[in-house]
Amino acid sequence: MAIAAFISYLSLEKKYSPHTVKAYEKDLTDFCVFCKTAYELSNIEDASYPMVRNWIVSLVETKISNRSVNRKVSSLKSYFKFLMKTGSIQTNPLAKHKALKTAKKLEIPFSEAEMEEMLNVLPFENSFEGVRDRLVIELLYATGMRRAELINLKLQNVDISNRSIKVLGKRNKERIIPLLESTIHLFIEYFTLRKVIENGENSQTVFITSKGNKIYETLVYRIINGYFSKVSSKVKKSPHILRHTFATHMLNQGADLNSVKELLGHASLASTQVYTHNSIAELKKVHSKAHPRNR
């Protein structure tokens, strides 16, 4: 079946994560169900653009966001591109499709004052979990790495002597990120405590639970949300906001956009430029204070 071949292609050739592959598969399954119900069409390879458009209308009527609709249609578009590539179809029905308009997602980073309070004022317990949680927060803020990258960080990829870590990002792309002196000290303290945790030395990943198991997504979220609730009134407090904060603060302090792009592991500058709106606001303040015409 063409869908099975496509899923295999995403997994084996494109090296997409299991989570991403699952999302693609669900989107295609949803469209299959729609075609079967609305048109008694079993093979979606034979679907026309009017059919897809009616699917989009039905999705919008269920009140899901335009962003979610666009993601589903993007999955379908990728599938049709795959069918074109393999010669299964001659025309891509979505070739000229335009995505639905979406409101810009405004993600507000933590301020430098909030980060200062978090890392230098807020007390952390002097225990394995306390040190681990502080290291999780510091590492996300100091490197801008993704939550999944932190969860899968291997012991062998932390180089204390060279003050750097090797991160495996999207599409299995590796990058080296330098570490701050404060982060190095935390790593040393954490590794000392980690050795006495059950199963700790058997685990290949850096971050583990108090039972010695690999740390997981919801725990990382709970760590970030829990601690930042003590210092910030912002609605969204997540690992991704820390990545956003890293990029914004780096740019505010004059870091080169290309350097930030490399540190974040972005494939293109366009992905990094979404973080520049905050630094532009900061530049306006500096410009206003420093320009002779404003004196």
Side-chain angles (χ1 to χ4, degrees):
M1 190 178 177
I3 291 180
F6 176 62
I7 296 303
S8 179
Y9 164 75
L10 294 179
S11 198
L12 302 176
E13 291 193 42
K14 299 292 282 184
K15 307 288 186 188
Y16 285 1
S17 71
H19 177 77
T20 302
V21 172
K22 201 171 181 181
Y24 271 87
E25 192 168 15
K26 185 182 184 309
D27 294 337
L28 292 176
T29 301
D30 288 349
F31 184 61
C32 281
V33 171
F34 174 81
C35 287
K36 185 78 174 173
T37 305
Y39 299 101
E40 296 185 353
L41 183 70
S42 298
N43 297 318
I44 61 171
E45 293 84 357
D46 298 325
S48 63
Y49 182 63
M51 292 178 184
V52 177
R53 191 173 56 211
N54 286 338
W55 181 51
I56 293 170
V57 170
S58 73
L59 290 172
V60 171
E61 286 175 347
T62 64
K63 306 295 183 186
I64 68 171
S65 69
N66 283 6
R67 194 178 298 277
S68 295
V69 173
N70 286 341
R71 197 212 71 230
K72 286 178 175 291
V73 176
S74 177
S75 296
L76 193 58
K77 195 170 187 178
S78 296
Y79 178 58
F80 282 129
K81 280 184 180 178
F82 170 78
L83 294 177
M84 289 282 289
K85 187 176 179 181
T86 56
S88 301
I89 60 173
Q90 301 303 311
T91 309
N92 184 344
L94 278 167
K96 295 184 179 180
H97 172 74
K98 289 184 179 178
L100 301 179
K101 288 185 178 179
T102 57
K104 279 191 176 179
K105 260 175 111 179
L106 185 62
E107 293 188 321
I108 303 171
F110 298 117
S111 66
E112 290 188 28
E114 285 171 330
M115 293 309 307
E116 174 73 18
E117 186 176 356
M118 169 58 64
L119 296 171
N120 296 327
V121 179
L122 190 72
F124 286 78
E125 286 186 18
N126 188 25
S127 62
F128 167 75
E129 288 187 344
V131 173
R132 179 203 63 195
D133 294 354
R134 181 182 168 86
L135 178 57
V136 164
I137 292 168
E138 167 122 6
L139 193 61
L140 288 172
Y141 176 54
T143 65
M145 65 197 303
R146 300 175 179 93
R147 175 170 57 179
E149 293 169 346
L150 177 131
I151 289 170
N152 294 308
L153 183 65
K154 299 285 193 294
L155 289 169
Q156 67 203 44
N157 290 335
V158 178
D159 191 339
I160 298 293
S161 58
N162 286 319
R163 296 174 54 179
S164 65
I165 56 171
K166 184 189 290 182
V167 174
L168 186 64
K170 290 185 175 181
R171 317 289 187 267
N172 286 334
K173 185 180 176 184
E174 289 184 346
R175 66 186 189 279
I176 305 293
I177 306 178
L179 294 174
L180 302 172
E181 196 65 42
S182 59
T183 316
I184 291 289
H185 291 315
L186 268 177
F187 261 121
I188 293 170
E189 186 179 358
Y190 171 70
F191 284 146
T192 302
L193 295 169
R194 186 187 183 283
K195 285 178 183 176
V196 300
I197 297 297
E198 183 185 358
N199 299 327
E201 291 189 284
N202 297 324
S203 173
Q204 295 299 306
T205 53
V206 170
F207 291 103
I208 57 175
T209 67
S210 57
K211 292 182 179 178
N213 300 317
K214 181 180 176 182
I215 205 171
Y216 48 95
E217 284 191 4
T218 51
L219 178 54
V220 177
Y221 176 81
R222 285 206 304 266
I223 289 169
I224 303 306
N225 191 63
Y227 282 97
F228 276 95
S229 292
K230 299 173 184 177
V231 301
S232 175
S233 60
K234 289 182 173 65
V235 174
K236 194 169 182 183
K237 297 177 277 287
S238 68
H240 185 72
I241 295 298
L242 267 179
R243 179 171 164 84
H244 190 51
T245 301
F246 161 81
T248 301
H249 290 183
M250 289 284 286
L251 291 166
N252 283 349
Q253 295 299 324
D256 172 67
L257 192 63
N258 267 308
S259 300
V260 175
K261 166 186 169 288
E262 292 302 315
L263 289 167
L264 290 171
H266 282 158
S268 68
L269 265 181
S271 300
T272 315
Q273 284 170 334
V274 301
Y275 298 108
T276 60
H277 70 276
N278 290 299
S279 51
I280 288 170
E282 191 68 22
L283 283 172
K284 283 180 180 176
K285 288 183 192 173
V286 173
H287 182 271
S288 178
K289 287 180 182 176
H291 198 282
R293 294 283 291 172
N294 283 321
R295 290 174 189 167

